[in-house]
Amino acid sequence: MNVAEKKARVIEPDSLIGKRIPKMDAPEKASGRTRYIHDINLSGQLHGKILRSSRIHALIKSIDVSAARALPGVHVVITAADIPDQRPIGVAKDHFPLKVGRVRSQRDEIAAVAAESEEIAEAALKLIKVEYEDLPVISDPEQAIMPGAALIHPEPHGADGSHLHLKQGMSIAHKGKPDNIAMRFDYVHGDVVQGEAESDVVVEDTFKLHYVTHCCMGVSGMIAEFDASGNLLMYSNTQVPFLHKREFADYLNMDPARIRIIQPPIGGGFGSKLDIYPFEVICLYLARAAKRPVKMLFTREEEFLASPTRQPVLLTLRSGCKKDGTLTFRQVHTLHDNGAYTSWGATTPFVMMQTFSSLYRVPHCDYHTAAVYTNNPYAGSFRGYGNLQATFAIEQHMDMLAEKIGMDPLEFRLKNAQDAGETTGQGMSFKSCGFKDCITTAARRSDYSRKARENAANRGKPGNIKRGIGMASMLHVGGGAKIYPSDGCGTILKMDDFANVTLITGASEIGQGSETVLSQLVCEELGLPISAITVVNNDTAITPWDVGVHASRTTFIAGNSAIGAAKKAKSKILAVAAKKYDVAEDELDLRGGFVIQAASGEVVVELSKLLRNLHFQDKAELVMTTFYYEPPSVHQDKGFKGDVSAAYAWGTQVVEVEVDTDTGQVRMTKVTGAHDVGRVLNRLGIEGQIEGGVVMGQGYALTEDLLIQNGVMKNPNFRDYKLVTAPEIPEMDIAFIESMDGEGPQGAKGVGEAPSICIAAATANAIANATGVRMYELPFTPEKVYRALRGQTPKLYWKPWKAD
Amino acid sequence: MTELKHYFAPTSLDQAVECLKDGDVTILAGGTDLTPQSQAGRIKIKHTLMNIRHIPQLTGITLEGREIRIGALATITEIMEHPLVREHLPVLVEACDHFASDQIRNAGTIGGNICNASPAGDTLIPLLVLDASVELASMPEAKLYRHSMPLSTFFVGPGKTRKSLCELVTGVRIPLPAPGHVARFFKLGTRPALDISTISIGVAGTLKDGVLSNARVAFGAVAPTPTRAAQTEQALEGQRLDAATIERVAAVARDEVKPIDDVRATAWYRKEMIHNITKRILSHVAQA
């Protein structure tokens, strides 16, 4: 035995945090092996299809399904009449999956078929005869809110015209509404009258935000199967398996314990799968009636027609400041086009008011929203959740106010930007805050001030290409959002006798890379390579409870939960090792698959060997832990105040454009971003998430436009709904500000929604910098920009609606 | 959306036109228009679906005398990459470069682009200003009959041409450009790829000593068909391309077109763009 061999092996310190870790599902996805819901087929499965309304707003006089039922290969045809126990669904419980007596929008579900094949189901739909009696279409929210407007959800009347006395507490689907207002939000801090009195400069403008939709690569779908005992198994793309399990149980009038949801790999979520939609409940009805598994998949056209949209908003903002650049007040009125039914879109004021009240220090803020029923598509949750809309207005006003008082817009922003330690008028408390770093970093890296000056000076010079640079910043929840009484997530962690770890988490993977980040956090605690982990995250029968993927919460909440479970496992392992090797527990650590001496890195024992020893003995023990993490945030009070998130994310994006004044075409040439992400966990993952978000923001700003005319969707296809394509994607320079949040997992904060938020606002500022012309309405299509450049755009003005 | 009963894949032109005699035939080449349009229910596949991809007479890009013949089955990619086209017809290469995406260019054919007769068809505008003619084949009696007609008279409406149900487009013929030939194409849309034109413009002519003769101008997406612009051509013919002329011609162009409002743009914007882009193209030609 030579001397070298006698030397104890030393494991050098290493860390997975901040490294570039490829997404764990990437090889499967890149090689086309991932089995999405589209690829799953159950033995004996039928195919479900939905007949949608051919009218926008009408009474259903009769439905004749006899010919469809008689078609060979058809198993079940259902209408509302066949489901007497239908319960209303949606955020305001204002519609039935199968519409009863009345259709209110183009997407409305009238009947459904389950048949041997998709072709037979399609053929059966064509045999269903529906008689309608048309009603006036209300597609303009400004009209819908007027007193005396025809009602979308009228209160039911008896045959003699008298009101039917329905019980209090019944949902809108049953008792209707005396007006078209679906929801109202009213928030205030300070006194805007005083704020205005203290102002040297006041600006007021109306902004108009349009319809866009998620365009997930994987269209919506689900498979439902009831077993012989009446237990329901659903293969579902939901982002919220646990809460939806309970809701589905309500809709089916069954015990939630008998429902199991398996989520196959999801082909994109972005918030679109945060609500329960009629097709899902209808698929369950079909499976229940057919006593066979039923699979329902949307076509791409259906995905456009029957998926939620981003919330369209008409917004009038009044802002003021003093000559020295101190913001004095903001007064905001928004009109949300709710569409025919209420989904999460109506609740975007929760996020919008945060931006108005707290992105910059505003002593006085007054915010009002009315979400108004129309016969248009209904809006849901979409990455950014109202923040793109709010930021669009605020950040244009920041430039406009700065210009009015003759202050550099960068200096103006820095003067009003929040700092760590502040608590805002809305009660949000910024424990870590890299906002000013974001502004200065993005400005420095893009050479913002010099370019802005030069571009402005170049406006009057010859040449049809004008360059512009614009800035916008954002505040978004980065440590979950306590919109429910709990914002928690559970973890189960088990180790096998080869020192492989299985992480069983309540957090769903929807393509955002959560399983990879959670794996990193666990492996970091346990000193294991990333190859030593398996993640189970898609089966409610196995995984612990969680409130769903939303609010950029997964890394923060599920991450802390996973770390908690890993720490418990680690402490158990170290206790066993300490006892076995007679070393103090706090002198040991885990590293590289070994138990080591913490100080020297010297190997004590290989972890797998220790675990095998632990298992193979008469007093065997397993390393299996659970942890539930609940963030230290609070539910907002009735006035929407409270520290709703455990941490807040910040970001600044600078957009550079070239505007062709002959055509109105806007080319986005560069995006410089600086994001306070707390800490970078997976550098590759976060870069991808930021880049993807920027492109989503770019589509919102420039090309994407879901055209709705009189309730009719004019472009439900990728030919005329224009997503950004590869050649248009700008150069990107993304910097990360690591503010090391005290509560965040390894210091990290959520960043999922952040990168899409600022782009449209910054682009508007860039166009103004290039041309001197302000754009108040999205998207900046060539024609819209050209019209504005030629002075052909009438000034938008929406007179704020006052609550009475 | 189909009455399809037969599928037929002829291997000769005779077989194909024989099959067309009964008229109840849908012709498949690249399928890049046929597939989405039939799935969307905009066209109905007829009794027989005839795949013409195995007919050798419809392929190839060749120089025949003073004409370049492009077989109907030539894909957009083949045309873009072909040395004859690149040397003599760069304006066609330019249009192909703005055509949809690589995947569609690899499958879509020029014959299909012509027969689809979209007012916004990308290859149609350069073909019009290059004075192309369409080759047609049919079998009225027992014998193959072939003739050709100028492309400028071929289109009658969106998706409608003068081709009878019994005829097959076999190719397109383009006279070799004369010395001094200049040609330009411009496609305006929302994005650089996978876009349907908001408008497109083709300009060609012979430039000698600063004077443009044999002027040909064509506009896409401003009328029910891709169309030659007679008044604009007249205003341009024999003119020296100075700033005043260019402005005057652009104004004539704006007044000549009668576009409509649709999901892509309003008529007003289209007219503005016809003016601005005509001006831009002519300025480029003048500087050439």
Side-chain angles (χ1 to χ4, degrees):
Chain A
M1 195 181 283
N2 63 36
V3 182
E5 276 175 333
K6 278 175 75 179
K7 245 184 163 174
R9 190 171 163 197
V10 170
I11 310 291
E12 297 300 331
D14 196 8
S15 172
L16 289 165
I17 304 304
K19 295 279 166 58
R20 307 178 69 83
I21 313 280
K23 283 177 74 185
M24 291 162 77
D25 56 359
E28 290 289 299
K29 282 185 173 165
S31 61
R33 287 163 202 249
T34 302
R35 289 193 189 94
Y36 295 96
I37 195 150
H38 313 70
D39 307 304
I40 297 171
N41 291 298
L42 303 186
S43 171
Q45 142 195 307
L46 301 174
H47 298 266
K49 287 277 174 196
I50 291 171
L51 180 72
R52 296 181 188 282
S53 176
S54 59
R55 307 299 169 88
I56 303 304
H57 193 195
L59 299 176
I60 303 170
K61 303 306 283 183
S62 70
I63 308 174
D64 178 0
V65 297
S66 53
R69 282 206 173 114
L71 187 71
V74 170
H75 284 240
V76 174
V77 182
I78 54 170
T79 67
D82 301 297
I83 317 286
D85 62 345
Q86 266 206 106
R87 294 192 184 188
I89 68 167
V91 169
K93 300 285 178 274
D94 56 9
H95 65 136
F96 293 102
L98 287 162
K99 302 302 178 265
V100 181
R102 183 192 274 250
V103 290
R104 296 175 176 87
S105 71
Q106 190 181 14
R107 57 163 296 151
D108 275 22
E109 298 78 5
I110 300 224
V113 174
E116 301 277 345
S117 69
E118 283 186 69
E119 290 73 18
I120 295 172
E122 289 278 8
L125 293 187
K126 293 198 176 73
L127 297 174
I128 298 173
K129 294 186 189 69
V130 187
E131 282 182 341
Y132 300 95
E133 182 185 317
D134 281 321
L135 296 168
V137 171
I138 304 172
S139 63
D140 179 353
E142 288 186 72
Q143 279 176 14
I145 200 172
M146 297 300 277
L151 298 178
I152 308 288
H153 292 271
E155 294 175 315
H157 290 263
D160 59 353
S162 67
H163 272 277
L164 288 182
H165 293 291
L166 293 166
K167 272 187 288 182
Q168 278 292 315
M170 289 188 91
S171 78
I172 293 167
H174 290 290
K175 72 171 168 54
K177 284 209 78 181
D179 55 28
N180 283 325
I181 298 175
M183 284 194 182
R184 282 178 180 177
F185 291 84
D186 301 292
Y187 166 83
V188 65
H189 78 244
D191 174 2
V192 288
V193 176
Q194 186 195 331
E196 181 148 358
E198 290 167 1
S199 304
D200 295 315
V201 162
V202 172
V203 287
E204 177 172 316
D205 293 284
T206 297
F207 301 87
K208 191 172 180 185
L209 294 308
H210 64 311
Y211 281 102
V212 294
T213 187
H214 309 69
C215 297
C216 298
M217 283 170 74
V219 290
S220 302
M222 95 165 212
I223 306 173
E225 178 177 26
F226 288 87
D227 72 11
S229 312
N231 298 311
L232 169 61
L233 173 61
M234 292 165 56
Y235 292 89
S236 161
N237 286 338
T238 177
Q239 293 180 220
V240 199
F242 293 94
L243 301 184
H244 282 184
K245 184 171 136 164
R246 183 170 165 183
E247 259 189 87
F248 281 124
D250 274 350
Y251 300 150
L252 293 169
N253 202 12
M254 70 185 281
D255 178 1
R258 303 180 80 156
I259 298 180
R260 176 177 179 188
I261 297 179
I262 293 178
Q263 298 153 283
I266 296 168
F270 309 110
S272 66
K273 291 152 178 82
L274 205 63
D275 199 359
I276 289 177
Y277 302 105
F279 87 91
E280 296 170 288
V281 184
I282 291 170
C283 187
L284 299 179
Y285 292 155
L286 288 172
R288 188 171 65 176
K291 299 186 168 57
R292 295 262 291 264
V294 173
K295 177 174 183 173
M296 194 176 276
L297 283 182
F298 276 6
T299 61
R300 180 55 68 182
E301 287 70 22
E302 220 174 2
E303 184 75 12
F304 274 105
L305 286 168
S307 298
T309 68
R310 191 183 286 288
Q311 179 64 54
V313 175
L314 195 60
L315 186 158
T316 297
L317 171 64
R318 194 169 168 81
S319 310
C321 70
K322 296 182 187 169
K323 274 185 199 145
D324 69 355
T326 312
L327 282 173
T328 47
F329 80 99
R330 276 192 217 290
Q331 189 167 34
V332 192
H333 289 266
T334 89
L335 186 62
H336 279 42
D337 185 343
N338 197 62
Y341 307 107
T342 308
S343 182
W344 292 115
T347 72
T348 49
F350 278 120
V351 172
M352 296 176 73
M353 62 177 73
Q354 291 174 1
T355 297
F356 286 109
S357 75
S358 305
L359 168 61
Y360 296 99
R361 277 190 301 270
V362 187
H364 309 285
C365 178
D366 185 30
Y367 176 100
H368 305 280
T369 285
V372 182
Y373 284 118
T374 63
N375 293 119
N376 290 331
Y378 67 83
S381 132
F382 193 169
R383 189 183 202 175
Y385 213 95
N387 211 345
L388 287 76
Q389 295 91 320
T391 303
F392 184 74
I394 284 185
E395 282 289 352
Q396 292 207 66
H397 263 193
M398 291 305 282
D399 268 16
M400 291 157 84
L401 285 171
E403 198 180 324
K404 280 221 166 194
I405 56 167
M407 192 168 184
D408 177 70
L410 187 64
E411 196 190 322
F412 181 56
R413 285 181 169 86
L414 285 169
K415 187 175 173 70
N416 293 288
Q418 302 282 3
D419 273 316
E422 294 190 49
T423 298
T424 76
Q426 208 182 341
M428 299 157 82
S429 161
F430 303 133
K431 279 139 277 198
S432 66
C433 176
F435 187 18
K436 286 181 178 168
D437 263 358
C438 289
I439 296 177
T440 51
T441 303
R444 188 184 70 247
R445 288 173 80 122
S446 62
D447 204 357
Y448 169 81
S449 296
R450 180 184 66 80
K451 285 179 183 169
R453 247 189 343 265
E454 289 177 6
N455 293 335
N458 190 44
R459 276 180 213 153
K461 293 186 182 157
N464 59 302
I465 301 293
K466 300 292 175 204
R467 294 214 169 95
I469 188 164
M471 169 182 285
S473 297
M474 70 99 216
L475 152 70
H476 205 75
V477 292
K482 201 156 277 184
I483 58 167
Y484 304 113
S486 162
D487 188 30
C489 176
T491 301
I492 302 169
L493 188 147
K494 75 182 180 82
M495 302 207 63
D496 71 7
D497 47 2
F498 308 99
N500 291 317
V501 56
T502 302
L503 167 68
I504 304 170
T505 173
S508 303
E509 167 73 39
I510 58 166
Q512 81 278 46
S514 69
E515 65 184 7
T516 310
V517 157
L518 298 179
S519 295
Q520 267 182 282
L521 293 170
V522 167
C523 291
E524 181 76 6
E525 284 305 320
L526 297 175
L528 291 171
I530 201 101
S531 58
I533 193 163
T534 302
V535 181
V536 176
N537 56 3
N538 67 345
D539 186 341
T540 57
I542 298 169
T543 57
W545 198 71
D546 173 74
V547 298
V549 186
H550 61 83
S552 307
R553 69 186 284 276
T554 300
T555 293
F556 195 98
I557 306 290
N560 274 333
S561 179
I563 289 174
K567 282 193 163 145
K568 281 166 87 174
K570 180 174 177 177
S571 107
K572 181 162 187 177
I573 291 164
L574 295 187
V576 169
K579 196 169 166 199
K580 190 171 167 79
Y581 296 96
D582 197 19
V583 195
E585 204 178 309
D586 58 7
E587 287 172 21
L588 295 175
D589 202 354
L590 297 175
R591 193 182 289 168
F594 295 89
V595 180
I596 55 154
Q597 300 272 5
S600 65
E602 281 178 25
V603 166
V604 175
V605 61
E606 195 173 355
L607 181 57
S608 59
K609 192 175 165 193
L610 181 75
L611 287 165
R612 279 194 296 275
N613 287 341
L614 194 62
H615 294 174
F616 275 104
Q617 54 169 306
D618 57 357
K619 284 178 185 151
E621 271 196 80
L622 296 177
V623 178
M624 204 150 78
T625 62
T626 63
F627 194 80
Y628 183 77
Y629 175 73
E630 181 66 49
S633 47
V634 299
H635 210 43
Q636 286 178 341
D637 64 18
K638 287 205 169 76
F640 305 106
K641 289 176 184 166
D643 197 15
V644 73
S645 183
Y648 297 89
W650 305 88
T652 300
Q653 288 173 329
V654 174
V655 167
E656 292 174 62
V657 299
E658 286 178 5
V659 182
D660 184 337
T661 55
D662 282 349
T663 63
Q665 286 172 312
V666 177
R667 200 164 76 83
M668 199 177 282
T669 53
K670 189 174 179 189
V671 172
T672 306
H675 287 268
D676 172 9
V677 299
R679 187 181 185 190
V680 174
L681 297 179
N682 181 357
R683 190 165 295 273
L684 193 61
I686 202 167
E687 284 175 3
Q689 209 163 19
I690 300 271
E691 287 165 10
V694 166
V695 174
M696 202 168 238
Q698 183 185 6
Y700 187 59
L702 297 182
T703 62
E704 293 182 49
D705 194 2
L706 198 59
L707 298 165
I708 315 292
Q709 285 172 11
N710 236 10
V712 179
M713 197 176 288
K714 306 303 277 185
N715 56 342
N717 57 66
F718 281 135
R719 189 189 70 176
D720 294 323
Y721 182 93
K722 293 180 196 302
L723 287 172
V724 170
T725 58
E728 302 144 82
I729 294 175
E731 178 192 348
M732 291 182 212
D733 172 23
I734 310 297
F736 297 105
I737 307 299
E738 300 196 296
S739 58
M740 295 299 291
D741 189 81
E743 180 66 20
Q746 296 280 358
K749 301 196 265 198
V751 69
E753 298 169 272
S756 61
I757 291 169
C758 300
I759 297 292
T763 304
N765 286 340
I767 292 172
N769 178 237
T771 65
V773 173
R774 275 273 150 213
M775 299 295 297
Y776 298 94
E777 184 176 345
L778 283 172
F780 307 139
T781 56
E783 175 161 357
K784 213 173 275 164
V785 173
Y786 184 79
R787 276 183 184 275
L789 293 176
R790 299 289 149 125
Q792 296 276 327
T793 309
K795 176 85 173 106
L796 263 179
Y797 183 68
W798 172 61
K799 189 174 182 312
W801 161 90
K802 306 281 184 201
D804 31 297
Chain B
M1 279 302 158
T2 173
E3 296 167 352
L4 178 58
K5 292 284 185 307
H6 296 291
Y7 171 77
F8 180 48
T11 52
S12 76
L13 187 55
D14 280 64
Q15 286 172 7
V17 290
E18 169 88 47
C19 172
L20 282 176
K21 270 181 163 175
D22 80 5
D24 200 13
V25 178
T26 297
I27 297 167
L28 167 69
T32 55
D33 281 317
L34 182 63
T35 309
Q37 288 177 11
S38 62
Q39 277 184 1
R42 283 199 295 278
I43 57 165
K44 214 169 205 177
I45 300 212
K46 294 175 186 169
H47 189 264
T48 300
L49 180 67
M50 180 168 75
N51 177 357
I52 58 170
R53 276 189 286 198
H54 304 287
I55 302 170
Q57 291 97 321
L58 305 186
T59 61
I61 297 171
T62 49
L63 188 61
E64 295 183 3
R66 300 294 300 160
E67 285 182 330
I68 292 173
R69 177 191 185 264
I70 302 177
L73 284 178
T75 63
I76 306 307
T77 303
E78 268 177 81
I79 293 166
M80 250 179 96
E81 292 174 352
H82 200 280
L84 270 177
V85 180
R86 296 189 78 84
E87 184 186 344
H88 298 288
L89 311 171
V91 70
L92 185 56
V93 175
E94 174 74 17
C96 292
D97 195 30
H98 288 91
F99 193 104
S101 64
D102 280 348
Q103 293 90 329
I104 294 171
R105 294 203 283 249
N106 287 341
T109 65
I110 193 152
N113 202 227
I114 291 170
C115 291
N116 189 50
S118 162
D122 284 324
T123 67
L124 309 182
I125 298 306
L127 289 177
L128 281 172
V129 298
L130 290 168
D131 267 340
S133 52
V134 187
E135 287 180 356
L136 295 153
S138 59
M139 196 172 272
E141 304 294 334
K143 246 185 93 200
L144 184 69
Y145 169 69
R146 307 181 73 152
H147 73 115
S148 61
M149 72 168 77
L151 189 69
S152 56
T153 63
F154 186 66
F155 304 111
V156 294
K160 294 197 173 66
T161 67
R162 289 199 200 287
K163 181 179 83 67
S164 83
L165 290 176
C166 307
E167 286 180 309
L168 184 67
V169 168
T170 58
V172 57
R173 291 182 170 273
I174 301 157
L176 273 187
H181 165 83
V182 289
R184 294 286 188 279
F185 172 78
F186 191 92
K187 173 178 174 176
L188 183 83
T190 308
R191 60 186 181 194
L194 273 169
D195 208 3
I196 313 285
S197 301
T198 302
I199 58 135
S200 58
I201 301 185
V203 173
T206 307
L207 195 62
K208 202 180 166 197
D209 306 327
V211 172
L212 194 74
S213 60
N214 197 19
R216 280 153 291 161
V217 179
F219 296 132
V222 292
T225 66
T227 176
R228 285 274 292 269
Q231 292 164 29
T232 310
E233 289 181 356
Q234 209 182 349
L236 198 52
E237 185 61 38
Q239 297 295 314
R240 181 168 296 280
L241 294 178
D242 53 38
T245 304
I246 289 172
E247 183 54 54
R248 185 172 55 80
V249 172
V252 170
R254 169 164 50 197
D255 294 341
E256 184 173 13
V257 295
K258 303 274 179 289
I260 56 163
D261 296 344
D262 67 12
V263 292
R264 283 177 274 285
T266 63
W268 176 82
Y269 179 70
R270 287 193 158 102
K271 286 170 87 78
E272 287 288 296
M273 291 306 103
I274 290 289
H275 173 272
N276 294 356
I277 303 298
T278 299
K279 196 170 153 182
R280 184 184 290 186
I281 288 180
L282 292 177
S283 305
H284 284 181
V285 170
Q287 284 157 21

